[in-house]
Amino acid sequence: MAGGKPMKSASEMDGDCIEFERPGSSCNRVLVAEDDAMFRRILESWLGHWGYQVTLAEDGARAWTILQQDLPPQLLILDWMMPALSGLELCRKVRERDQAPYQYILLATAKDAKQDLVRGLEAGADDYLTKPFDKSELRARLRAGNRILTLQDGQIRAHEQLRFQATHDQLTGVLNRAEILDTLRRELERAARSNSATGLLMLDIDHFKAVNDTYGHLTGDAVLKEVTQRVVKALRAYDSVGRYGGEEFVIVLPGCDREQIDQGAERVRSAVDSGFILFNESKVSVTVSIGAAVASQGTISDTEMLAAADSALYKAKQIGRNRTVLSDLVFH
């Protein structure tokens, strides 16, 4: 709520020098929760001049609804006194949710007693502005909040990058051995609970050693990356693929019976054998052999399933390569 001496109207600010902020792309959206319509318009005009994207809420309940949507603003300017849900209550709800990424809260109010300041900070506010506040002071405090959020975003990106490196193969970008095996274990546990089937493919690039010996290891790396891309394109969005080691890959296909796993394996094999792989001046023909296994409506260990797929892969290589063999073992 606005109070005290009058602030500049939006029309009076038209002559102000417009100097855009350059906040981080994920931190330049601001939610303004304020029940005074005039004050909302003034803040919207100021923030727009400074380069922020502004979302307006006329009360705390509307602000809470906005904050529960996907990708809500990270900078929040909340009026203390609002109908339906006060700024103080809104602070508490945001902090109780403890959701990443962090949201920086600037609490605005006409209250100026020290105990009110303490209550606001204890409720979860990061900063506090007493109305009527100075335009330059608001701008400076928003910049401070932006610095904190930008640092946080950098930490989140660094954490995500480290997690990706820990779970993915550096060369091909698919899951690494440990992560694909963990994925298989989780999927088998889920399938046992829901009485659904799980398919597993073990894929090996045919004569890969000859590719390295003939064309060199750089070409071999290019072949591994291109084969991986072709495999991924042939899979469903919820299938998982990982590099098992060397030129071997493991693919987990949830909800596939024997007929579906056979069709999926053939789709992958055909995708790899869809044309030459070109690298520098080399033109390489590549095929794969695939061993498949299915666990249907029962409990089976990941070790048993891998052994069945590996045995089927060995048979596919024995009888001529560039083919799929489905294990005869039926796991119930």
Side-chain angles (χ1 to χ4, degrees):
M1 297 175 63
K5 64 184 179 183
M7 306 180 72
K8 280 187 181 181
S9 69
S11 60
E12 289 176 316
M13 294 184 299
D14 287 344
D16 287 354
C17 177
I18 299 174
E19 193 176 325
F20 286 93
E21 306 285 5
R22 299 190 181 276
S25 60
S26 61
C27 309
N28 69 337
R29 291 178 296 116
V30 183
L31 170 65
V32 174
E34 167 62 60
D35 64 325
D36 185 285
M38 175 63 75
F39 197 37
R40 278 201 310 272
R41 286 197 296 271
I42 291 172
L43 286 176
E44 182 181 21
S45 179
W46 285 0
L47 293 167
H49 275 57
W50 298 337
Y52 291 99
Q53 299 174 26
V54 186
T55 301
L56 300 175
E58 68 279 6
D59 57 44
R62 174 59 184 156
W64 179 239
T65 299
I66 293 170
L67 291 174
Q68 293 179 85
Q69 297 172 357
D70 292 336
L71 298 175
Q74 285 182 253
L75 277 169
L76 316 180
I77 301 176
L78 309 181
D79 181 33
W80 184 310
M81 301 295 292
M82 291 186 291
L85 191 68
S86 73
L88 203 66
E89 293 169 323
L90 193 53
C91 280
R92 294 193 184 103
K93 290 176 76 70
V94 170
R95 297 307 179 221
E96 286 169 1
R97 187 171 55 170
D98 192 26
Q99 184 173 312
Y102 187 80
Q103 289 166 316
Y104 190 91
I105 300 176
L106 183 60
L107 195 60
T109 180
K111 296 175 179 287
D112 57 2
K114 181 170 289 188
Q115 60 267 32
D116 292 323
L117 169 61
V118 172
R119 285 177 62 202
L121 295 175
E122 287 182 342
D126 296 285
D127 205 349
Y128 191 98
L129 271 175
T130 302
K131 295 180 179 178
F133 47 77
D134 181 73
K135 179 179 178 181
S136 59
E137 182 183 1
L138 171 63
R139 188 175 189 180
R141 291 181 184 275
L142 286 173
R143 281 173 167 169
N146 234 313
R147 285 194 295 270
I148 291 173
L149 292 178
T150 300
L151 285 171
Q152 177 205 234
D153 281 359
Q155 291 175 336
I156 290 173
R157 285 194 297 271
H159 176 76
E160 290 174 346
Q161 185 176 9
L162 287 173
R163 186 183 181 282
F164 184 89
Q165 291 172 351
T167 57
H168 288 72
D169 177 62
Q170 185 175 359
L171 177 65
T172 62
V174 296
L175 299 177
N176 60 25
R177 180 188 178 108
E179 190 66 17
I180 191 63
L181 294 182
D182 191 47
T183 299
L184 174 60
R185 283 190 287 271
R186 291 197 308 268
E187 187 54 42
L188 288 172
E189 291 170 359
R190 188 201 63 79
R193 291 193 301 270
S194 60
N195 287 326
S196 59
T198 302
L200 178 69
L201 305 181
M202 186 168 280
L203 176 154
D204 183 85
I205 300 176
D206 296 328
H207 303 296
F208 185 71
K209 183 178 183 302
V211 173
N212 277 332
D213 292 344
T214 303
Y215 302 101
H217 288 280
L218 288 179
T219 300
D221 287 350
V223 166
L224 281 169
K225 289 190 281 189
E226 177 60 26
V227 166
T228 302
Q229 291 176 15
R230 293 182 184 186
V231 168
V232 169
K233 289 178 181 177
L235 297 175
R236 302 168 301 180
Y238 50 88
D239 295 330
S240 301
V241 56
R243 190 176 179 190
Y244 191 61
E247 68 273 21
E248 286 191 332
F249 295 82
V250 166
I251 303 168
V252 180
L253 300 98
C256 283
D257 57 25
R258 289 180 67 82
E259 181 179 355
Q260 291 169 323
I261 196 70
D262 197 31
Q263 293 171 352
E266 182 55 27
R267 188 169 61 248
V268 169
R269 187 207 61 78
S270 178
V272 175
D273 192 23
S274 61
F276 290 103
I277 294 176
L278 305 178
F279 181 73
N280 290 339
E281 297 181 358
S282 301
K283 187 178 180 182
V284 187
S285 177
V286 178
T287 61
V288 295
S289 300
I290 300 175
V294 178
S296 62
Q297 299 183 3
T299 302
I300 174 181
S301 73
D302 56 310
T303 304
E304 291 173 300
M305 192 137 183
L306 284 165
D310 190 43
S311 178
L313 172 61
Y314 180 77
K315 186 175 180 181
K317 295 168 78 75
Q318 256 192 335
I319 60 177
R321 302 176 191 269
N322 191 23
R323 65 193 65 229
T324 296
V325 171
L326 180 58
S327 173
D328 294 328
L329 296 175
V330 179
F331 300 103
H332 293 291

